């Protein structure tokens, strides 16, 4: 049979059509959202820098069901780059998005977007002072000019700025005093600022230790500060060890309880429950009596977590394993002795929890 | 009936929306496009058993006033990871990334020793004469990094060709204006070529903001780019068999660096200053050819971010001395030997000292073929001696068989490596001086059919490939949260590619039809961590499926070309839990050439993305919807007396 040029050309075009049609679009995922956001745990997933993969997961603790990326699924747009924290004030959820310089405000009943607080520079955490006022810590655009922004919760606008140390990080409210840990940001600091929440004026500055990060109080009187330590300029080793410091909130005196003497490891993720503190250090979770003045050295979990939390109702320990920070992380639950209970896959770089349990 | 056949053929061509795939010079020659030659050092052996794709001169001319990233993303099968137009654009050959790609200028590597890559958005096409792409591993030929593929750039000079003066202008969307000129004077004993390029692009395009509520129409901000560059190339035939060549490439680039839509508005800027100098002496007589090359590359990057009070400068200095000897025993037996000495020095604020690396290498290729050229083979070896790392030995073997006049069976197997970069080894926070080189094995076979006729020409090939890389360098956080590079993964790339190209000639009409499709999986096959969630998952931002097709119709010297590109799903994270949607675009190009005795005039008009698709190559980095470029090249000819 003689094969004509026409037949050859036709055959080639058929091949083109067949192979072109082989490139089909993947079927989209079906949105899956919880009915309500009570009785659950919010997991903060930072996402990778600039990718828009930062998200909030919600774990329904009644059905033990995990719902990932609830904000984008509900609202149709991403939270933004580096989701740092979430807090619930009144009926609203406030999600702090660090590198996007904003706080997304949602109705906590259904997670629908109701506004954005802008005008911030590298915000980190939001904490309510009262029903109409909140403080937001921020590092500043240069990562070193720490400040606390005062927010009018009725209008979601910034009303004033309180200058504090570098890398303003977590906050703790005791009476009329807001304690602000200044973690150093892109430089270094060693202070905890105390702000009078009535006047919005700094009332005290406590030089507690190298780069304080986390603040925890179990009795509304003693405040435990986890200082992460400080690297040498070339990052070859730590020049200041991490340490745990205790502040007496009645007179703002403080004592360094102990140092964590390792040249290459920094402590973090301090949390507390029923007379005990829990923190990460060098690939282990440590349990520390709040009454001890020295390191108990009790390791209950051998795993490196990017965030820790304890459910105040169930008393379960929550650990956020961020893996290599570029894939979906995991949340593992443990009892207080460190025995693993179960685990859930969340999203990229989980860094902490907010317990909305009753 | 004959008329209906042609009608059907025309309709079929238009429906298929295909592409002129300028892979083979034979078809271009049929189109009366000036013949192309690859210019590199040991080109005699480079192609054996490997897939080589060459950008034809007409296509390149239409993109001369744009950057290499624009050309390759539209006219090649390489996936270009482009963070919006004018900004960082890196190549991905067969699922690998920029670190596994070598980029060569006149046969010498211009890959940055700092980060092991090359930004294709900084390379004006007008400043080089030829662009070709070699697929698969070839470190035995080109040294570290040529694992996924190699981009060959070259500036070539020919003696006794007369001369010309060429002026080019282009205007396009988003405040894009380009000017260029080229002067060539080619005599019997001396030839000089000067190329100049200047481009200003505001990049203030409209896009749908996918990071905002309701995806509102937005305008790109802080994305302008300015490039200016000059290449001076000069050769002297000092004696009958002796040629001296000197080439200078100077370029400066200023650009605003936009952020992801999910981040705050960027204030960052980047300046890239590039100085490249090469000098060579070539002696060729009878069956012997000897070449001595030297090169000095000075590349500086100044990154400023007022918001972060950042003003970082990094420098990379490279000195190369390379000697090559080619012995043609007969037309069928050739031996190529070479020695390379490369000295590289880095300087950056994120290093605690100025790192240096000395890399000495001996390499050679033995090429053998039969008199009919129906069996061609080449064996290449390379042994490197690296001052601050291991001393890798690599080899490759390529074979081409022509069992029939129209059928080619080819294959290539190569052992490859990539040295860690200065950033991998010496970055202040996390650098790991104990890293091993990445190493791997690349194999491919191709079966092709080639038929050239006066009316219909066909060229088609199917390729199966596999490429495995061990000790893949990956930055991962340690227990203290500090990111450090580790030899963490074993990566396997495998798949198939299919290409074809046809040319139909009917009186003064010519129809070119080109098509490429690939399905290549590149997965992580071994991880060091206990978490298996990345195991067998596709590498991030490397599409498994890619296709492009085009249709070109020429009447005399008027051409219209439709180009269709499809890029499949790309995964945004290593466990493939997040992905970016596939996208497809269609471009149309019009070209009119007027030849006269005194001058040639080439006018063109390009409309990119004619269907006005809103898409993102990298998630939350927008690229323009429809845009246009129109340009004019006029070349005044100077005859040689």
């Amino acid at each position: 049979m003689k094969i004509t040029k026409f037949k050859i050309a036709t055959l080639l075009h058929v091949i083109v059509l067949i192979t072109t049609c082989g490139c089909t679009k993947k079927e989209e995922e079906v949105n899956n959202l919880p009915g309500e956001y009570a009785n659950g745990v919010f997991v903060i997933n930072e996402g990778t820098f600039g990718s828009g993969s930062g998200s909030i997961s919600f774990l329904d603790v009644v059905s033990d069901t995990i719902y990932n990326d609830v904000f984008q699924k509900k609202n149709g747009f991403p939270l933004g780059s580096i989701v740092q924290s979430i807090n619930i004030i009144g009926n609203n959820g406030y999600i702090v998005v660090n590198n996007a310089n904003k706080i997304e405000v949602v109705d906590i009943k259904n997670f629908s977007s109701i506004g954005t607080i802008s005008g911030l520079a590298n915000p980190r955490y939001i904490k309510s002072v009262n029903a109409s006022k909140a403080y937001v810590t921020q590092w500043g655009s240069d990562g070193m000019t720490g400040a606390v922004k005062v927010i009018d919760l009725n209008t979601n606008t910034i009303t004033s700025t309180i200058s504090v140390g570098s890398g303003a990080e977590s906050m703790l409210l005791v009476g009329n005093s807001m304690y602000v840990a200044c973690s150093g940001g892109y430089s270094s600091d060693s202070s905890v600022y105390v702000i009078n929440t009535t006047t919005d004026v700094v009332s005290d500055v406590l030089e507690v230790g190298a780069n304080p990060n986390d603040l925890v109080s179990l009795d509304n009187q003693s405040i435990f500060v986890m200082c992460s330590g400080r690297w040498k300029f070339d990052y070859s080793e730590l020049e200041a060890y991490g340490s745990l410091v205790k502040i007496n909130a009645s007179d703002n005196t403080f004592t360094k309880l102990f140092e964590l003497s390792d040249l290459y490891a920094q402590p973090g993720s301090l949390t507390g429950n029923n007379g005990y503190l829990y923190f990460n250090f060098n690939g282990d979770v440590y349990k520390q009596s709040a009454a001890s003045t020295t390191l108990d050295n009790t390791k209950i979990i051998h795993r490196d977590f990017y965030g820790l939390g304890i459910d105040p109702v169930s008393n379960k320990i929550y650990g956020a394993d961020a893996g290599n920070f570029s894939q979906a992380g995991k949340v593992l639950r443990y009892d207080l002795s460190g025995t693993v209970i179960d685990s859930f896959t969340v999203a990229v770089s989980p860094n902490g929890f907010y317990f909305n349990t009753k | 009936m004959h008329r209906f056949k042609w009608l059907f053929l025309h309709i079929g061509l238009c429906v298929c929306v295909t592409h002129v795939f300028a892979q083979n010079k034979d078809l271009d020659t049929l189109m009366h496009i000036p013949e192309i030659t690859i210019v590199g050092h040991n080109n005699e052996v480079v192609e054996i058993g490997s897939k080589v794709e060459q950008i034809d001169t007409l296509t390149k001319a239409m993109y001369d006033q744009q950057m290499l990233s624009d050309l390759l993303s539209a006219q090649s099968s390489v996936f270009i990871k482009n963070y919006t137009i004018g900004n960082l654009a890196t190549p991905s050959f067969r699922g690998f990334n920029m670190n596994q790609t070598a980029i060569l200028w006149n046969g010498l590597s211009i890959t940055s020793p700092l980060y092991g890559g090359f930004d294709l958005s900084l390379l004006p096409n007008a400043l080089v004469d030829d662009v070709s792409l070699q697929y698969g591993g070839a470190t035995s030929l080109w040294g570290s990094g040529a694992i996924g593929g190699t981009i060959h750039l070259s500036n070539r000079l020919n003696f006794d060709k007369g001369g010309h003066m060429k002026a080019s202008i282009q205007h396009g969307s988003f405040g894009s204006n380009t000017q260029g000129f080229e002067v060539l004077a080619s005599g019997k004993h001396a030839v000089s070529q000067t190329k100049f390029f200047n481009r200003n692009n505001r990049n203030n395009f409209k896009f749908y903001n996918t990071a905002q509520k309701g995806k509102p129409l937005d305008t790109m901000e802080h994305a302008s780019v300015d490039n200016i560059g000059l290449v001076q190339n000069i050769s002297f035939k000092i004696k009958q068999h002796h040629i001296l060549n000197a080439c200078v490439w100077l370029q400066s680039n200023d650009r605003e660096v936009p952020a992801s839509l999910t981040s705050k508005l960027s204030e960052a800027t980047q300046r890239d200053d590039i100085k490249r100098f090469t000098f060579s002496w070539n002696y060729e007589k009878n069956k012997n050819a000897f070449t001595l090359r030297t090169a000095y590359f000075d590349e500086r990057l100044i990154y400023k971010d007022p918001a972060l009070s950042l003003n970082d400068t990094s420098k990379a200095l490279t000195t190369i001395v390379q000697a090559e000897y080619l012995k043609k025993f007969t037309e069928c037996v050739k031996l190529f030997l070479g020695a390379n000495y490369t000295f590289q020095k880095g300087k950056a604020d994120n290093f605690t000292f100025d790192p240096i690396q000395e890399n000495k290498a001996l390499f050679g290729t033995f090429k053998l073929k039969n008199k009919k050229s129906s069996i061609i083979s080449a064996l290449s070896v390379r042994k490197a001696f690296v001052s601050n790392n291991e001393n890798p030995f690599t080899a490759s073997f390529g074979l081409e068989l022509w069992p029939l006049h129209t059928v080619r069976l080819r294959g290539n197997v190569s052992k490859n490596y990539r040295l860690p970069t200065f950033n991998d080894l010496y970055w202040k926070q996390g650098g790991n001086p104990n890293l091993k080189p990445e190493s791997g094995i690349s194999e491919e076979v191709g079966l092709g059919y080639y038929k050239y006729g006066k009316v219909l020409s066909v060229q088609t090939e199917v390729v199966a490939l596999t490429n495995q890389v061990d000790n893949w360098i990956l930055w991962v956080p340690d227990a203290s949260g500090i990111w450090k590079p580790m030899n963490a993964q074993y990566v396997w790339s495998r798949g198939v590619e299919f290409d074809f190209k046809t040319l139909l000639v009917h009186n003064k009409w010519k129809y070119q039809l080109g098509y490429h499709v690939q399905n290549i999986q590149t997965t992580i096959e071994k991880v060091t961590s206990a978490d298996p969630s990345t195991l067998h998952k596709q590498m991030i931002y490397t599409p498994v499926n890619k296709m492009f097709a085009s249709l070109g119709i020429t009447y005399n010297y008027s051409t219209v070309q439709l180009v269709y590109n499809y890029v499949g799903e790309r995964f945004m994270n290593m466990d493939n839990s997040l992905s970016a949607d596939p996208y497809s675009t269609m471009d149309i190009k019009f070209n009119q050439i007027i030849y006269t005795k005194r001058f040639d005039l080439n006018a063109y008009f390009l409309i990119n993305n004619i269907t006005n698709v809103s898409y993102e190559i990298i998630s939350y980095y927008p690229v323009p919807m429809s845009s246009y470029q129109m340009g004019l090249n006029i070349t005044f000819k100077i005859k040689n007396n």
Side-chain angles (χ1 to χ4, degrees):
Chain A
M1 187 181 76
K2 187 178 179 183
I3 300 173
T4 65
K5 292 163 190 165
F6 171 73
K7 286 178 180 173
I8 292 170
T10 304
L11 177 64
L12 291 174
H13 298 158
V14 168
I15 292 169
V16 171
L17 284 173
I18 290 169
T19 48
T20 304
C21 294
C23 301
T24 54
K25 189 177 177 180
K26 187 186 173 187
E27 190 176 343
E28 289 187 3
E29 281 186 8
V30 177
N31 281 346
N32 189 13
L33 291 168
E36 59 175 6
Y37 291 87
N39 293 316
V41 181
F42 291 101
V43 183
I44 301 115
N45 305 294
E46 289 184 355
T48 50
F49 189 83
S51 71
S53 57
S55 64
I56 296 291
S57 299
F58 181 73
L59 175 63
D60 184 328
V61 295
V62 177
S63 63
D64 281 345
T65 304
I66 189 80
Y67 298 90
N68 286 321
D69 203 9
V70 291
F71 181 89
Q72 182 154 9
K73 284 178 179 171
K74 178 66 182 176
N75 299 294
F77 66 99
L79 277 166
S81 179
I82 309 299
V83 177
Q84 181 61 37
S85 61
I86 184 173
N87 203 349
I88 297 174
I89 305 171
N91 295 322
N92 294 339
Y94 295 82
I95 305 160
V96 182
V97 190
N98 173 247
N99 193 47
N101 285 350
K102 68 175 182 177
I103 295 174
E104 286 289 344
V105 187
V106 296
D107 183 337
I108 204 61
K109 287 179 186 169
N110 56 19
F111 234 68
S112 62
S113 171
I114 57 175
T116 303
I117 301 173
S118 54
L120 302 162
N122 282 329
R124 305 291 291 179
Y125 294 89
I126 182 169
K127 184 88 178 173
S128 67
V129 173
N130 54 48
S132 60
K133 185 166 84 173
Y135 285 171
V136 174
T137 51
Q138 66 170 34
W139 287 10
S141 58
D142 60 358
M144 294 179 283
T145 310
V148 171
K149 293 286 184 180
V150 183
I151 308 293
D152 182 339
L153 295 174
N154 297 314
T155 58
N156 286 335
T157 55
I158 299 167
T159 56
S160 62
T161 301
I162 305 165
S163 292
V164 295
S166 294
E169 191 77 359
S170 58
M171 292 177 281
L172 184 72
L173 183 65
V174 177
N176 290 330
S177 296
M178 186 71 84
Y179 290 80
V180 180
C182 296
S183 66
Y186 295 151
S187 58
S188 181
D189 205 314
S190 59
S191 56
V192 171
Y193 275 62
V194 187
I195 299 171
N196 183 321
T197 56
T198 307
T199 60
D200 297 334
V201 171
V202 173
S203 60
D204 209 345
V205 179
L206 316 176
E207 300 293 334
V208 295
N211 296 332
N213 264 315
D214 305 312
L215 303 171
V216 167
S217 180
L218 301 176
D219 57 5
N220 235 19
Q221 179 58 45
S222 298
I223 300 170
F224 294 93
V225 186
M226 184 57 83
C227 301
S228 61
R230 186 173 56 247
W231 290 96
K232 283 184 175 178
F233 79 102
D234 60 358
Y235 296 93
S236 58
E237 60 185 32
L238 290 169
E239 63 180 10
Y241 292 136
S243 61
L244 186 70
V245 175
K246 183 178 179 181
I247 300 171
N248 184 338
S250 62
D251 58 5
N252 287 338
T253 57
F254 61 88
T255 309
K256 181 186 287 186
L257 298 178
F258 55 82
E259 286 187 334
L260 292 148
S261 307
D262 189 302
L263 282 172
Y264 309 104
Q266 294 180 283
S269 302
L270 182 69
T271 186
N273 172 273
N274 288 335
Y276 286 93
L277 301 171
Y278 301 82
F279 59 90
N280 278 319
F281 182 60
N282 207 13
D284 291 298
V285 175
Y286 283 66
K287 184 177 182 179
Q288 169 80 21
S289 168
S292 297
T293 56
T294 57
L295 179 64
D296 291 350
N297 210 21
T298 306
K299 303 172 186 177
I300 59 168
I301 302 168
H302 180 61
R303 188 150 182 158
D304 186 35
F305 289 119
Y306 193 45
L308 268 185
I310 299 181
D311 185 335
V313 175
S314 69
N315 291 324
K316 290 175 182 172
I317 300 172
Y318 282 66
D321 186 344
N324 66 9
F325 293 82
S326 58
Q327 65 201 57
K330 288 187 179 304
V331 169
L332 294 96
R333 296 198 293 188
Y334 300 83
D335 64 22
L336 290 177
S337 68
T339 303
V340 68
I341 301 168
D342 52 16
S343 66
F344 302 90
T345 299
V346 286
V348 179
S349 304
N351 77 356
F353 307 93
Y354 183 90
F355 297 94
N356 192 30
T357 51
K358 295 173 183 172
Chain B
M1 188 62 194
H2 180 75
R3 183 180 297 175
F4 287 109
K5 283 181 181 176
W6 279 107
L7 180 62
F8 177 79
L9 202 53
H10 295 182
I11 293 170
L13 288 165
C14 294
V15 169
C16 292
V17 189
T18 51
H19 163 73
V20 182
F21 182 35
Q23 182 178 342
N24 186 287
K25 61 188 180 184
D26 295 319
L27 292 188
D28 297 325
T29 305
L30 288 170
M31 288 284 289
H32 305 293
I33 295 168
E35 189 172 344
I36 306 155
T37 53
I38 302 176
V39 178
H41 65 302
N42 49 346
N43 294 303
E44 290 268 11
V45 294
V46 63
E47 292 178 70
I48 305 305
S50 295
K51 177 179 170 182
V52 176
E53 177 181 347
Q54 182 148 11
I55 308 298
D56 72 86
T57 48
L58 181 60
T59 300
K60 182 180 172 297
M62 291 175 76
Y63 286 88
D64 260 356
Q65 305 308 310
Q66 298 187 58
M67 313 308 274
L68 186 60
S69 53
D70 303 315
L71 172 64
L72 297 186
S73 60
Q75 298 282 349
S76 80
S77 57
V78 179
F79 174 58
I80 305 296
K81 298 180 191 175
N82 197 338
Y83 292 77
T84 197
I85 54 169
N87 262 283
L88 181 64
T90 60
S92 171
F93 277 75
R94 293 177 168 176
F96 291 103
N97 64 32
M98 69 169 180
N99 291 126
Q100 286 79 35
T101 304
I103 182 158
L104 308 171
W105 176 48
N106 293 334
L108 301 173
S109 172
I110 53 173
T111 305
S112 167
L114 299 183
Y115 63 94
F118 192 90
D119 187 350
L120 302 178
S121 73
L122 294 181
L123 204 146
N125 298 317
L127 295 187
V128 295
D129 292 315
D130 296 317
V131 178
S132 63
L133 310 169
Q134 182 181 359
Y135 291 79
T139 53
S140 58
L141 293 163
W142 311 118
S144 173
I147 294 178
T150 305
I151 298 174
H152 296 268
L153 309 170
S154 54
N155 290 78
R156 55 182 155 76
L157 293 176
N158 295 312
F159 289 97
D160 205 16
K161 295 289 182 183
H164 66 241
M165 287 188 294
K166 177 180 172 183
S168 306
I169 55 167
Q170 180 180 285
H171 171 74
S173 305
F174 326 125
S176 171
N177 289 290
T178 308
Q179 306 85 34
F181 72 77
E182 179 182 319
V183 178
L184 175 71
S186 173
K188 289 182 179 177
H189 301 288
V191 54
S192 168
Q193 183 189 50
T194 306
K195 290 169 171 278
F196 171 79
F197 176 86
N198 181 59
R199 185 192 196 199
N200 310 100
N201 196 342
R202 300 281 67 79
N203 278 340
N204 51 350
F205 57 87
K206 300 278 187 188
F207 64 98
Y208 288 105
N209 192 332
T210 54
Q212 295 291 322
K213 191 175 187 176
K215 297 181 176 55
L217 193 62
D218 214 336
T219 302
M220 193 67 186
E221 294 182 61
H222 196 72
S224 68
V225 183
D226 298 314
N227 315 93
I228 187 166
L230 176 78
V231 168
Q232 174 62 54
N233 195 8
I234 188 164
S235 283
F236 296 99
K237 194 177 284 185
I238 52 176
K239 287 183 180 177
Q240 187 179 0
H241 303 292
H242 296 260
I243 296 173
L244 291 179
N245 173 265
C247 193
V248 178
W249 183 338
L250 305 174
Q251 194 177 327
S252 184
N253 312 275
D254 285 290
R255 59 185 173 188
E256 297 170 327
V257 182
S260 159
L261 296 177
T262 62
S263 299
K264 58 185 177 260
L265 192 63
S266 169
E267 299 176 40
T269 59
Q270 183 174 321
R271 180 182 177 88
D272 291 84
D273 288 323
I274 297 163
K275 297 171 189 167
R276 299 187 182 111
F277 305 92
T278 63
F279 179 80
S280 68
W281 166 61
N282 177 263
Y283 169 81
E284 188 169 357
K285 188 177 181 183
N286 299 330
K287 295 178 179 178
N288 299 286
F290 181 79
T291 303
L292 182 66
R293 302 168 189 271
T294 60
Y296 177 74
F297 304 146
D298 178 336
E299 305 199 1
R300 299 169 191 233
L301 186 155
I302 302 165
Y303 184 87
K304 295 180 181 178
D305 191 338
L308 296 172
S309 303
L310 267 181
N311 187 355
D312 284 353
T313 300
S314 59
K315 300 177 191 173
L317 306 175
T318 301
T319 304
I320 302 172
V321 180
Q322 183 163 300
E324 303 158 11
Y325 172 68
L326 176 65
K327 174 72 177 178
K328 298 180 182 176
F329 295 102
T330 67
E331 271 308 302
C332 298
V333 183
K334 293 173 185 174
L335 177 67
F336 178 82
L337 297 172
N340 175 286
Y341 171 80
T342 300
F343 175 85
Q344 292 180 307
K345 182 178 180 181
K347 187 177 180 66
D349 296 341
N350 277 303
F351 298 145
T352 53
F353 63 99
D354 296 346
I356 61 169
Q357 183 179 75
E358 285 185 290
N359 190 338
K360 302 160 195 167
L362 297 172
F363 51 90
T365 296
F366 183 67
K367 182 181 174 183
L368 194 62
K369 67 176 183 178
N370 62 359
K371 286 185 178 179
K372 294 180 180 176
S373 293
S374 59
I375 302 173
I376 311 170
S377 66
L379 173 69
S380 300
V381 293
R382 186 184 194 93
K383 175 66 179 176
F385 304 90
V386 186
S387 61
N388 57 352
N389 215 278
E390 294 183 3
N391 299 325
F393 172 79
T394 56
S396 67
F397 178 71
L399 181 66
E400 286 187 11
L401 302 173
W402 291 83
L404 300 172
H405 183 62
T406 54
V407 176
R408 181 180 71 168
L409 179 65
R410 65 167 180 84
N412 184 276
V413 57
S414 62
K415 185 172 181 288
N416 305 294
Y417 71 95
R418 179 178 83 87
L419 295 168
T421 65
F422 283 162
N423 286 356
D424 293 331
L425 295 167
Y426 306 118
W427 193 259
K428 190 191 292 181
Q429 187 179 20
N432 181 359
N434 299 316
L435 283 172
K436 296 176 182 175
E438 295 177 352
S439 60
I441 300 284
S442 168
E443 296 150 319
E444 68 178 278
V445 290
L447 178 63
Y449 174 79
Y450 307 89
K451 176 76 175 175
Y452 305 110
K454 289 182 179 178
V455 176
L456 175 66
S457 297
V458 177
Q459 173 188 313
T460 184
E461 185 181 43
V462 61
V463 178
L465 61 101
T466 174
N467 198 340
Q468 300 167 72
V469 178
D470 200 2
N471 290 322
W472 185 281
I473 296 170
L474 185 72
W475 284 69
V476 291
D478 65 6
S480 299
I482 295 175
W483 289 75
K484 290 184 175 178
M486 294 176 62
N487 294 110
Q489 291 175 335
Y490 184 89
V491 175
W492 181 26
S493 171
R494 70 282 187 191
V496 292
E497 296 171 329
F498 174 71
D499 295 289
F500 84 66
K501 179 178 177 183
T502 65
L503 173 66
L504 293 165
V505 180
H506 183 61
N507 299 327
K508 291 184 177 180
W509 292 88
K510 299 182 183 73
Y511 305 87
Q512 273 196 328
L513 179 71
Y515 177 69
H516 168 88
V517 64
Q518 66 185 45
N519 178 287
I520 298 173
Q521 285 187 295
T522 307
T523 54
I524 300 161
E525 293 299 311
K526 188 174 73 182
V527 292
T528 54
S529 71
D531 185 355
S533 63
T534 62
L535 206 57
H536 310 308
K537 300 294 171 61
Q538 179 75 6
M539 295 292 287
I540 60 170
Y541 282 117
T542 55
V544 173
N545 294 306
K546 188 177 187 302
M547 186 270 280
F548 73 94
S550 87
L551 165 68
I553 301 174
T554 300
Y555 179 77
N556 277 346
Y557 298 109
S558 306
T559 300
V560 59
Q561 184 190 41
L562 271 171
V563 178
Y564 174 81
N565 263 290
Y566 170 87
V567 174
E569 183 179 33
R570 286 90 61 223
F571 293 103
M572 295 161 60
N573 53 355
M574 293 175 63
D575 62 359
N576 294 181
S577 57
L578 296 170
S579 65
D581 287 338
Y583 65 85
S584 56
T585 58
M586 193 184 300
D587 306 335
I588 189 167
K589 308 173 193 312
F590 303 94
N591 192 69
Q592 176 66 53
I593 302 174
I594 298 171
Y595 294 108
T596 70
K597 286 184 178 177
R598 293 186 175 181
F599 66 89
D600 297 340
L601 191 140
N602 182 356
Y604 59 89
F605 184 69
L606 317 180
I607 305 175
N608 304 306
N609 192 359
I610 56 176
T611 53
N612 209 28
V613 174
S614 176
Y615 70 103
E616 293 164 347
I617 300 169
I618 305 291
S619 291
Y620 303 112
Y621 286 89
V623 293
M625 294 186 285
S626 289
S627 63
Y628 72 90
Q629 281 96 37
M630 54 184 181
L632 193 67
N633 302 326
I634 184 163
T635 304
F636 295 97
K637 304 169 189 173
I638 303 167
K639 285 192 176 179
N640 203 20
N641 295 320

